[in-house]
Amino acid sequence: MAQTFYPIRYTARIIIETTSPLSIGCGDKNIMTDAPVLRDVNGYPFIPGTSLSGVIRHSLESQELGNTLMGWQDPRGGEGSRLIISDAKILNSRGEVVDGLAPRDTADAVLEAYQVLPIRQHVRIGQRGSAEQRGKFDEEVVFRGTRFCFDMELIAVEDREEADFLKIIDTIGSEAFRLGGGSRKGFGSIRVISAFYRKLDLSQESDLRLYLDNTSSLRDGREGFASYALKPVEGEATLHYEVSLQPVDFLMFGSGLGDSEADRVYVSEQQIVWDQEGVGSIQERTVSILIPSSSVKGALSHRTAYHYNKQCGIFADRLEGSDLEKEHTGQNNKAVRLLFGGEGDSQGRNKRRGCVLFTDLFMDRLDSTEDHVFNHVKIDRFTGGSVGGALFSEKAVYTNAQEIKLDIFVDKQALEQEETEQVGKAITAFESALRDLCSGMLPLGGNVNKGYGRFSGSIKRNGETL
């Protein structure tokens, strides 16, 4: 049996920061939430190497390259992966990696904050504007601003694979690279804080000694590593929509909870911020306003279906029977399925991943930003008096002096296998939905029938104004 000697090692240590909340589920549930975050032995969130490996393989430019670097298997045989990826472990407030068994540091405010993570409330809205049956769920997420560290190593024979290894590092820093669940509804966006890279030739005694002296612990430094400057990914085909919005009136993106002042309040979350010296701290939820991308995605998805049906001459008063209605609404609508994906049928077949990428938006509160509590009561239409037990209040936010910027990316590579005409209609319908958003015809958030959530604004596509 022939054996292959692999003398070359390409190694890298990468630190990433979440620019939107991260959902790395453990596949279980508990009394607090339907989807808890995966935690390590110390009780802190971490990203498994298998999750990193899966996303990296999917992001490679071709299946052939994936098979070459990360192995393959079929009835004829197989080959193991030559790309080794460690788990990504969390950093404390001093920028140090927490790897291995570590005593609980109660003096570190950042680490202490991970004991109780935010829980996002979700509800699936149908084409009639109401909640669908069994469409209520929630999930635990990791704070925006969390930093993780992980190692990568490629076992190689020749120098020609160095470009492929560096391309992987560049891909991790690209806009389309997302980690964890909910990557198509605003979660999992990251940026690369630092990348250190080194090529080692184990046939050389000095490189072999350096390779053996470096430990597997992420807490230890890497001797002889140099900083790597990321480059733009060549051939990355995306449509970038920059949507600038100005709120007209009150905003109400509900948290599903209340506080001491109101029964219903808008959603807000803590986040981690880092100064120029690399020291992290917790920013309290009252400092910023959160616009969840799931709210934006849901509204745009329904309005895209409307505009696509309008192009095709399909109108609500002509849909005779529930089967026809289901065929042209929700994930069964062709434009929605192409752009936003679908969960498939009850058997899990015909699933499709969405190609529209959103990112949760955290806005800093201005001096002019105000909270306002509205008191409501349900009136009996017969007596004109109030209905017992129907008094409630809600807290909305008023911030019409603030400009909101949404960055939306459409992965054109995911649409290459589809019919050109159908893709063109879907993109046109999506852009029409964005125009409705900027003209106030498509409000966002809750209580839109009370006048909340209207915007005015403009749209740019790849830098050009639509």
Side-chain angles (χ1 to χ4, degrees):
M1 180 178 178
Q3 293 184 346
T4 304
F5 177 56
Y6 295 95
I8 306 298
R9 298 290 190 274
Y10 300 111
T11 59
R13 170 160 292 181
I14 301 173
I15 295 178
I16 60 175
E17 179 183 315
T18 60
T19 54
S20 67
L22 179 67
S23 175
I24 297 287
C26 66
D28 204 351
K29 59 182 179 180
N30 59 29
I31 194 172
M32 298 296 295
T33 177
D34 299 322
V37 159
L38 186 64
R39 296 175 182 263
D40 63 13
V41 66
N42 297 307
Y44 301 128
F46 78 104
I47 305 174
T50 52
S51 296
L52 290 165
S53 176
V55 179
I56 289 173
R57 180 162 191 153
H58 179 80
S59 302
L60 294 177
E61 59 186 18
S62 66
Q63 183 177 354
E64 181 181 358
L65 180 60
N67 292 341
T68 301
L69 299 181
M70 307 185 73
W72 57 275
Q73 185 175 7
D74 61 25
R76 298 171 299 171
E79 182 179 342
S81 174
R82 292 188 289 113
L83 183 66
I84 303 170
I85 305 175
S86 73
D87 293 340
K89 295 303 181 71
I90 205 168
L91 272 63
N92 61 20
S93 62
R94 300 179 298 277
E96 301 166 345
V97 185
V98 183
D99 190 15
L101 284 172
R104 182 172 172 179
D105 188 357
T106 57
D108 193 313
V110 170
L111 293 182
E112 276 297 287
Y114 289 107
Q115 302 301 318
V116 180
L117 292 173
I119 295 179
R120 284 287 183 93
Q121 307 287 334
H122 301 283
V123 60
R124 186 167 63 249
I125 304 297
Q127 67 271 14
R128 298 182 183 274
S130 60
E132 292 189 349
Q133 190 175 9
R134 296 186 298 275
K136 177 70 179 71
F137 63 100
D138 56 48
E139 59 185 328
E140 193 176 39
V141 296
V142 181
F143 299 116
R144 176 181 185 261
T146 300
R147 289 187 176 181
F148 295 92
C149 176
F150 66 95
D151 283 345
M152 283 199 313
E153 177 180 331
L154 179 64
I155 302 173
V157 179
E158 302 174 355
D159 292 345
R160 56 185 174 85
E161 291 182 320
E162 182 174 12
D164 294 332
F165 184 73
L166 296 179
K167 188 180 295 183
I168 292 175
I169 302 177
D170 295 333
T171 300
I172 294 173
S174 66
E175 291 286 356
F177 192 85
R178 304 293 173 100
L179 291 172
S183 61
R184 267 46 188 171
K185 62 182 181 184
F187 293 163
S189 174
I190 66 166
R191 68 185 182 101
V192 175
I193 300 300
S194 64
F196 291 90
Y197 160 74
R198 177 68 187 260
K199 172 193 170 185
L200 297 172
D201 185 352
L202 302 189
S203 62
Q204 304 295 322
E205 183 177 354
S206 59
D207 283 0
L208 177 61
R209 176 53 53 190
L210 183 62
Y211 182 76
L212 294 176
D213 288 343
N214 284 327
T215 70
S216 60
S217 174
L218 296 170
R219 292 179 300 178
D220 298 334
R222 286 292 184 263
E223 183 182 348
F225 278 48
S227 178
Y228 173 73
L230 273 70
K231 304 177 181 64
V233 178
E234 297 181 3
E236 187 177 21
T238 58
L239 290 175
H240 179 199
Y241 292 95
E242 299 172 84
V243 185
S244 299
L245 301 174
Q246 194 83 22
V248 175
D249 213 321
F250 290 95
L251 302 179
M252 180 62 180
F253 294 90
S255 66
L257 303 171
D259 62 9
S260 59
E261 297 180 326
D263 300 311
R264 302 173 184 174
V265 299
Y266 59 87
V267 64
S268 59
E269 281 181 5
Q270 291 177 313
Q271 56 180 318
I272 299 174
V273 294
W274 301 83
D275 61 21
Q276 294 182 350
E277 284 72 35
V279 177
S281 60
I282 289 291
Q283 186 180 81
E284 293 302 324
R285 59 193 308 168
T286 55
V287 177
S288 60
I289 302 167
L290 170 61
I291 296 184
S293 288
S294 55
S295 298
V296 181
K297 176 186 175 182
L300 288 176
S301 173
H302 285 294
R303 188 55 62 95
T304 298
Y306 162 77
H307 282 293
Y308 182 82
N309 289 338
K310 182 180 177 181
Q311 291 182 67
C312 299
I314 301 168
F315 300 96
D317 58 346
R318 300 178 187 176
L319 296 179
E320 300 177 0
S322 58
D323 291 339
L324 286 174
E325 182 180 349
K326 291 179 180 179
E327 183 180 345
H328 299 291
T329 58
Q331 66 173 354
N332 295 322
N333 181 274
K334 292 181 180 179
V336 172
R337 186 167 182 78
L338 276 177
L339 298 177
F340 299 95
E343 60 185 5
D345 57 22
S346 58
Q347 304 298 322
R349 297 169 296 189
N350 301 320
K351 293 181 180 180
R352 179 179 174 85
R353 190 187 192 197
C355 60
V356 182
L357 301 174
F358 299 86
T359 303
D360 281 355
L361 181 63
F362 288 76
M363 303 185 303
D364 293 332
R365 295 180 68 96
L366 304 178
D367 293 337
S368 58
T369 302
E370 297 181 7
D371 294 345
H372 190 84
V373 177
F374 292 90
N375 295 301
H376 301 279
V377 62
K378 185 177 180 181
I379 301 299
D380 189 304
R381 296 178 184 272
F382 180 72
T383 65
S386 60
V387 176
L391 176 65
F392 65 97
S393 59
E394 60 192 11
K395 183 189 292 184
V397 61
Y398 185 77
T399 179
N400 69 336
Q402 189 166 12
E403 185 180 21
I404 298 172
K405 292 187 177 181
L406 299 178
D407 285 310
I408 303 173
F409 296 89
V410 178
D411 185 2
K412 293 174 63 177
Q413 293 179 335
L415 301 172
E416 290 179 351
Q417 306 299 324
E418 307 297 334
E419 297 180 8
T420 304
E421 181 180 358
Q422 188 169 321
V423 171
K425 286 184 177 181
I427 294 294
T428 301
F430 178 67
E431 292 179 354
S432 297
L434 291 178
R435 289 189 179 93
D436 286 349
L437 177 60
C438 293
S439 63
M441 296 297 293
L442 178 61
L444 297 178
N447 295 337
V448 296
N449 293 327
K450 300 178 183 178
Y452 294 0
R454 291 191 302 120
F455 299 89
S456 62
S458 60
I459 314 165
K460 287 185 178 181
R461 180 182 60 199
N462 292 341
E464 297 182 2
T465 301
L466 287 182

